[in-house]
Amino acid sequence: MSLVPRFFGRRSSVFDPFSLDLWDPFEGGASPLFRDIGHPARDDAAAIANTQIDWKETSDAHIFKADLPGLKKEEVKIEVEDGRVLHISGERKKEEEQKNDKWHRIERSHGKFLRRFRLPENAKVEEVKATIENGVLTVTVPKQPQPKPEVRAIKISG
């Protein structure tokens, strides 16, 4: 928790100037000074809820990559909805606490995440493939080949 009050909200991403989360007076108290008091898990939940995913387009596929350290393939779900909306979701469970454990710091996030991407018209959604290796999820969506324009010679009369 910062000692500086957040009167104007906070950014969910330092690198995205348009990601300002505005202060909600009905959330967590009447003042932004007391926003985080009593909500120690808020930042943990926000961290996994804002799972960052890279989307790269190559000449033959759209490739999505997400860092999901510690997650098994059974804890991640990938779906295509409405024909062209890619859903990537999952959940990192909270570690069970033993009565005699003494925690000094909890920084790893836990909770559910869900990201959606509208795929372009040229995506072959029937051929989506996914792998998870060393904590990195890679989803590959092949592209349909671009149709070559039909060139027709026109005879000039006269």
Side-chain angles (χ1 to χ4, degrees):
M1 177 171 78
S2 174
L3 297 175
V4 179
R6 296 183 191 132
F7 289 109
F8 302 108
R10 62 181 173 180
R11 297 191 189 285
S12 58
S13 172
V14 178
F15 303 108
D16 185 2
F18 302 106
S19 67
L20 188 63
D21 295 331
L22 296 178
W23 171 62
D24 182 357
F26 301 107
E27 180 182 351
S31 168
L33 293 170
F34 304 109
R35 176 180 186 153
D36 291 329
I37 294 176
H39 298 286
R42 181 176 307 204
D43 291 333
D44 289 342
I48 197 160
N50 293 327
T51 299
Q52 296 178 345
I53 298 179
D54 298 336
W55 179 357
K56 173 174 71 171
E57 182 176 356
T58 64
S59 60
D60 53 339
H62 294 275
I63 300 171
F64 298 84
K65 288 194 175 203
D67 292 335
L68 302 175
L71 288 181
K72 300 176 190 136
K73 65 180 182 178
E74 296 83 18
E75 298 170 324
V76 179
K77 188 173 172 183
I78 301 166
E79 302 173 318
V80 176
E81 178 184 84
D82 294 333
R84 286 193 5 232
V85 179
L86 178 68
H87 285 242
I88 301 174
S89 62
E91 180 176 9
R92 180 175 290 126
K93 305 261 191 241
K94 186 175 181 180
E95 189 173 325
E96 291 186 30
E97 297 181 24
Q98 305 295 325
K99 290 184 179 181
N100 57 352
D101 289 347
K102 178 180 177 184
W103 291 90
H104 293 279
R105 183 174 297 270
I106 299 175
E107 293 183 344
R108 295 184 308 145
S109 59
H110 61 275
K112 295 181 180 184
F113 68 91
L114 169 65
R115 295 295 307 272
R116 294 181 181 139
F117 300 93
R118 180 166 302 282
L119 297 171
E121 299 272 341
N122 65 351
K124 291 184 181 179
V125 294
E126 310 82 31
E127 299 178 21
V128 175
K129 294 182 180 159
T131 61
I132 191 162
E133 186 176 330
N134 296 328
V136 178
L137 172 71
T138 303
V139 180
T140 304
V141 183
K143 291 170 39 176
Q144 296 175 357
Q146 290 283 8
K148 294 186 179 182
E150 184 179 316
V151 179
R152 187 172 58 124
I154 308 296
K155 190 174 184 179
I156 302 173
S157 63

